[in-house]
Amino acid sequence: MITLENIHKSYGPVEVLRGVTLDVARGETVSLIGASGSGKSTLLKCANLLETPDRGRVLLDGAAITGPGVDVDRARARIGMVFQHFNLFPHMTVLDNVTVGLRHVRGLPRDRAEQVARARLAEVGLAHLTGQRPARLSGGQQQRVAIARALAMEPAVMMFDEATSALDPELVKDVLAIMRDLAASGMTMLVVTHEMAFARESSQRVVFMDDGVIAEAGTPEQIFEAPRHVRLRRFLAQIL
Ligand code: ADP
Ligand code: MG
């Protein structure tokens, strides 16, 4: 569904991604793990065109979305992003946060957009909070709004960048439960996470990034029970 081919990205003299190739198949969930600074966020940003790779290609459902002549906005609208910080509009209600993209990017009329938004908000357990402003919600609830907002656009793939890292511990499990259900429902997902239980139980494949490259990739069993790369072993020893 999404293919990253030999992605390179530098910031000034620093080469942050040094040739990353990764395929996520339709319906597959891939967890991306690795130490801070290894390039995970930069890889997601290149995948959804928030950053332009210096070299390499991104393909979505078989078609290149990097390179000349690509409608970047259209391509980006097919990739749902959920960040560590929820990036909701503080002056808008929960409902309006979810309808805004539907109305202005997808061009749905207001009543249809609200119908879709209410359905997605109900799925993440927030039907009762549609009229509130984000500031009145807990971090976990705000993150669920962000997930509903992304899902409302009917993305081809969902990407999460440490979606639970900013949450109080007691709020993490609600968000993880939604991510787990989404993975089980057959959504295509690329998930940067420090939640090893999620990586182990909810992804088909785990990819370990180290210093701008994929150092090791495999099934959760391979990665967690029989890690080969010394840096992966060290990372797991620290985090588990
Ligand atoms: P991770 O998400 O794995 O922690 P990042 O992709 O955020 O790693 O960062 C990888 C490296 O790239 C880090 O050394 C970081 O400082 C650097 N970096 C990330 N974004 C920028 C930027 N916009 N400008 C300069 N350096 C950056
Ligand atoms: Mg990051």
Side-chain angles (χ1 to χ4, degrees):
M1 180 56 90
I2 188 152
T3 301
L4 307 174
E5 262 180 22
N6 192 30
I7 302 293
H8 288 253
K9 181 71 187 177
S10 296
Y11 293 113
V14 184
E15 196 173 22
V16 171
L17 297 177
R18 300 184 295 126
V20 176
T21 295
L22 175 65
D23 253 313
V24 185
R26 189 185 302 269
E28 186 183 31
T29 292
V30 173
S31 288
L32 206 51
I33 64 172
S36 176
S38 57
K40 306 178 300 295
S41 293
T42 305
L43 188 64
L44 287 199
K45 286 183 201 156
C46 286
N48 75 358
L49 312 177
L50 286 175
E51 290 281 7
T52 310
D54 299 330
R55 263 206 281 162
R57 296 199 305 166
V58 181
L59 293 95
L60 187 59
D61 210 2
I65 59 170
T66 43
V70 171
D71 184 341
V72 171
D73 290 332
R74 191 156 164 272
R76 210 181 271 146
R78 300 179 60 206
I79 301 172
M81 272 300 296
V82 178
F83 300 95
Q84 184 174 347
H85 300 286
F86 330 116
N87 303 343
L88 301 176
F89 293 114
H91 60 288
M92 289 185 186
T93 64
V94 163
L95 186 67
D96 289 345
N97 265 282
V98 180
T99 58
V100 66
L102 289 169
R103 295 179 60 203
H104 298 287
V105 180
R106 293 274 303 278
L108 295 192
R110 179 192 284 274
D111 56 345
R112 179 70 191 125
E114 291 191 351
Q115 201 181 351
V116 172
R118 285 183 197 283
R120 294 291 90 83
L121 285 164
E123 282 166 12
V124 298
L126 296 178
H128 59 302
L129 293 175
T130 55
Q132 297 288 344
R133 311 249 165 199
R136 300 288 296 275
L137 274 55
S138 73
Q141 289 169 332
Q142 291 186 54
Q143 192 59 297
R144 286 190 272 154
V145 176
I147 293 171
R149 174 180 59 182
L151 289 175
M153 301 292 282
E154 296 180 22
V157 52
M158 285 282 285
M159 297 185 188
F160 295 82
D161 192 353
E162 296 193 29
T164 59
S165 295
L167 301 178
D168 292 332
E170 73 274 19
L171 303 176
V172 168
K173 69 176 191 323
D174 291 346
V175 172
L176 280 180
I178 286 165
M179 292 170 63
R180 205 162 36 232
D181 289 350
L182 202 54
S185 78
M187 175 60 78
T188 306
M189 297 176 34
L190 182 54
V191 181
V192 173
T193 187
H194 289 301
E195 295 289 337
M196 294 301 130
F198 176 89
R200 191 190 281 260
E201 288 151 27
S202 296
S203 41
Q204 282 79 54
R205 213 141 45 88
V206 180
V207 169
F208 172 64
M209 278 194 69
D210 182 54
D211 200 16
V213 295
I214 292 177
E216 193 162 335
T219 63
E221 291 71 26
Q222 288 168 332
I223 294 295
F224 292 110
E225 313 301 338
R228 287 190 302 226
H229 200 292
V230 62
R231 304 278 290 249
L232 172 57
R233 288 187 197 170
R234 203 177 302 152
F235 174 77
L236 291 174
Q238 278 168 357
I239 203 163
L240 292 174

